[in-house]
Amino acid sequence: MSNETTEQQCGCSQQLSSITLLVDNKAGKGLECVHGFAAWIKVRDRRILFDTGQKGVILKNAERLGINLAEAEVLVLSHGHDDHTDNLADFYALNPNAPMYCGENIDADRFCCRPGEQALNWSPPPSAKKIFDSLPPDQKHTLKKPHYLLPGVAITGPVPRLTTFEDVGDALFLDIEGRKPDPVSDDMSMWFETDKGLVILLGCCHSGIVNTVNYIRKVSGIEKVSGIVGGMHLIRASRERMEKTLEAMKSWNMDFLIPCHCTGDNAMQQMKDYLGDIVTFGCTGTVIELGNLPEKQEGDFSMCKEHACGCGCA
């Protein structure tokens, strides 16, 4: 892992695949941070944007990292909170034809109503809602089940909530009065089937990280978890939740764990203390090399249909 990224032109199977953090709460040298999340994904010569962060930071960081957002062939949204959708209009101004993959109710109004505190509006901004409303049906794909974009590259769709100790991670509601609980039903993550095992990319993981990892292992048929990167929304996790989460993480026998964004400093430190050197705190500019991914696989892959560069996935 490093804090530098270099874009390469098509050579396909000879190219490295990686995830670069474009927006995070903390930043590497020469980059900007904000409470939000976005990641740039390279799979050989293919490009995917995962979330858009907020407050224009993604545009500045992309330029400094030599990343051209107009090259993204698809946009994947982990969920609709503003810290993941705030720059949606900026992205589509650069890349108006990019297909969007999202969950149901991505455009819902969202509020955080903690007892004794003023309610916080976490809804997608009006500019993002305009994008949600204006995209034609064949450009906006609402997922109800797991979906492969490329061989070995997939989106979870809705994640079943099966654990008894995980919840959405905060006092989340669909109304500012705090009467209608928000299950964040649009929450989704991504996974990559590498030669070293699964690499899992999270936005906020409101479905719960144990739920999410167990589901990905079941759907993919791959037990080995090589690594996890992203936000885990454990900033207000109970003692029971943290203990059981740490126990699950240890049982996965990962090669690396990169918590960032909404995980929470205390939770991140507990991971470091419990799991040791496999834990690295993420920041804008962090690059995660994915290793080898399959070039061919049975199935219908939405990014492969018109690809004729010779990578073997078409």
Side-chain angles (χ1 to χ4, degrees), residues 55-296:
K55 300 188 184 302
V57 167
I58 191 172
L59 301 179
K60 298 174 184 177
N61 287 337
E63 181 178 5
R64 292 171 189 176
L65 290 167
I67 290 171
N68 182 1
L69 296 176
E71 293 180 355
E73 295 177 68
V74 301
L75 169 68
V76 178
L77 292 177
S78 66
H79 63 299
H81 282 148
D82 61 342
D83 53 329
H84 297 255
T85 61
D86 192 36
N87 296 124
L88 208 59
D90 291 330
F91 171 73
Y92 274 100
L94 294 170
N95 198 337
N97 298 317
M100 175 192 294
Y101 288 82
C102 61
E104 290 188 294
N105 301 316
I106 188 77
D107 58 349
D109 287 332
R110 264 72 183 267
F111 302 90
C112 182
C113 305
R114 298 169 189 146
E117 298 182 20
Q118 185 175 355
L120 302 173
N121 188 342
W122 287 1
S123 308
S127 58
K129 289 195 172 191
K130 186 175 180 181
I131 296 294
F132 293 140
D133 292 339
S134 63
L135 287 183
D138 62 350
Q139 193 175 353
K140 181 184 176 186
H141 305 278
T142 302
L143 299 184
K144 298 181 180 180
K145 61 182 181 180
H147 178 78
Y148 278 88
L149 291 172
L150 291 167
V153 179
I155 313 169
T156 61
V159 174
R161 319 289 174 90
L162 302 179
T163 60
T164 59
F165 58 90
E166 292 182 297
D167 54 28
V168 295
D170 219 323
L172 304 183
F173 295 88
L174 295 169
D175 63 317
I176 198 169
E177 294 80 19
R179 297 171 183 169
K180 300 177 183 177
D182 181 7
V184 198
S185 58
D186 53 327
D187 177 75
M188 307 191 304
S189 299
M190 290 187 68
W191 80 83
F192 305 84
E193 299 171 3
T194 80
D195 57 343
K196 296 180 180 179
L198 295 168
V199 173
I200 296 171
L201 176 62
L202 314 169
C204 276
C205 205
H206 289 291
S207 302
I209 188 168
V210 178
N211 282 326
T212 298
V213 172
N214 287 344
Y215 185 59
I216 290 172
R217 293 168 84 184
K218 178 181 177 181
V219 172
S220 68
I222 300 172
E223 286 292 312
K224 170 62 178 176
V225 180
S226 176
I228 300 172
V229 57
M232 305 173 199
H233 218 100
L234 295 169
I235 192 169
R236 289 175 176 79
S238 66
R239 180 175 178 178
E240 178 193 18
R241 180 174 184 177
M242 278 305 306
E243 288 177 350
K244 291 186 175 180
T245 298
L246 291 171
E247 289 171 2
M249 288 177 167
K250 190 169 186 178
S251 74
W252 297 331
N253 194 27
M254 294 178 286
D255 302 313
F256 67 88
L257 175 64
I258 306 176
C260 49
H261 181 41
C262 58
T263 306
D265 290 343
N266 183 54
M268 290 166 66
Q269 189 59 52
Q270 287 186 64
M271 292 175 193
K272 184 72 172 177
D273 294 341
Y274 193 78
L275 299 170
D277 291 341
I278 70 165
V279 179
T280 303
F281 301 154
C283 66
T284 299
T286 297
V287 179
I288 302 95
E289 294 183 1
L290 291 174
N292 295 320
L293 288 134
E295 294 187 24
K296 293 185 179 181

